[in-house]
Amino acid sequence: MTRSHRLQDLMQVMRRHRGTVAGAVLARETGVSLRTLRRDIATLQTMGADIAGEAGVGYLLKPGYTLPPLTFTEEELQALVAGAQWVSRHTDEGLARAVQNALAKIDAVLTPDLRRTLDDNALYISRHQDHAGVVLGRLRRAVREQRKVRVSLLDDAEPRAALVIWPVMLGFVDSRWSVAAWCETSGAFRVLRVDRIATLAFLDECYPGHRRQLVKQWRADVNNPCRQRDCG
C-alpha cells in the first residue's frame, strides 16, 4: 500500500469513529505500528487536517478537511459496482437513476485501466421480482419529508380499510421491502410489507417530532416482545 493510500485509509477510519479514538485502535484498523501511526497523524496535521489529541490520550478528527482525491483500488470499484447493481435492481426508479449518475461521475475521473474494472461484468446481482417500486419511491419521500400518508393494504387480493401511518424507516429483509411506521389508526408501531400496500396518498399534515427519535422508539418497541404487533 502506498503512503497516500495509507493516509486516506487513516482518514476514513477516523471519520468512521466520529469521536475520540485510541491510537492503538487506529493502528490495528489501519494495519500499522503505533510509531507509524504517530508519524501519519503528524503528516496529516501538517497537511491541514484538524486532528486533536496526542499519544496516550487518543485522537479526534474534526470535520471539514479532506485529502486531495485519490484513485480507487480494484476491490473498492468492484464493491461500488456490486452496490450499484443492487440499488438499480432492488429499489425504485429514482434511486436507480441516482446510483447510475454517481457511477458516471466516478467513471469520469478514473484512469483507463481502472475504468475497465468499473465496466467489468465479473459480478452479477439478480433482479428483484417485487413490483412495488412506485410505492417504494413515494414512501422514501414520505420518510424524508416526515409526511403522514394514508394506505390501504391487500388482504387476499382485496384492499382492507385504510390506515394513517407515519413512515420512519424502510428495510429490506428476506428479499422484501418493508416500512416501519407509527400507525395513527391503531396507536402502535407497525411493520408493513411494501408489496401489500394497495394505495398510498400523501396527507397535508407532517407528523410531529423528529423522525430519528421515532426510530429509537420503534427499535425499543421491537425489542419488547410483549409489544410487538404487525398489520402487514
Side-chain angles (χ1 to χ4, degrees), residues 8-65:
Q8 181 74 13
D9 284 350
L10 176 55
M11 292 282 290
Q12 290 299 104
V13 171
M14 296 186 76
R15 289 193 189 101
R16 190 165 66 242
H17 282 281
R18 296 190 179 182
T20 301
V21 56
V25 174
L26 292 174
R28 183 175 66 252
E29 294 192 17
T30 54
V32 299
S33 67
L34 272 173
R35 183 178 179 181
T36 299
L37 174 77
R38 290 165 187 153
R39 286 202 303 263
D40 289 346
I41 291 287
T43 299
L44 288 173
Q45 288 172 328
T46 60
M47 294 171 66
D50 192 357
I51 300 176
E54 57 187 32
V57 177
Y59 300 96
L60 172 66
L61 174 64
K62 297 182 180 179
Y65 176 79

Side-chain angles (χ1 to χ4, degrees), residues 194-219:
V194 173
D195 61 346
R196 289 184 177 173
I197 296 178
T199 64
L200 183 151
F202 288 101
L203 302 183
D204 293 334
E205 185 181 2
C206 292
Y207 55 80
H210 198 287
R211 184 187 67 82
R212 291 184 180 179
Q213 185 59 41
L214 288 171
V215 169
K216 291 181 181 179
Q217 294 175 20
W218 167 68
R219 285 174 171 160

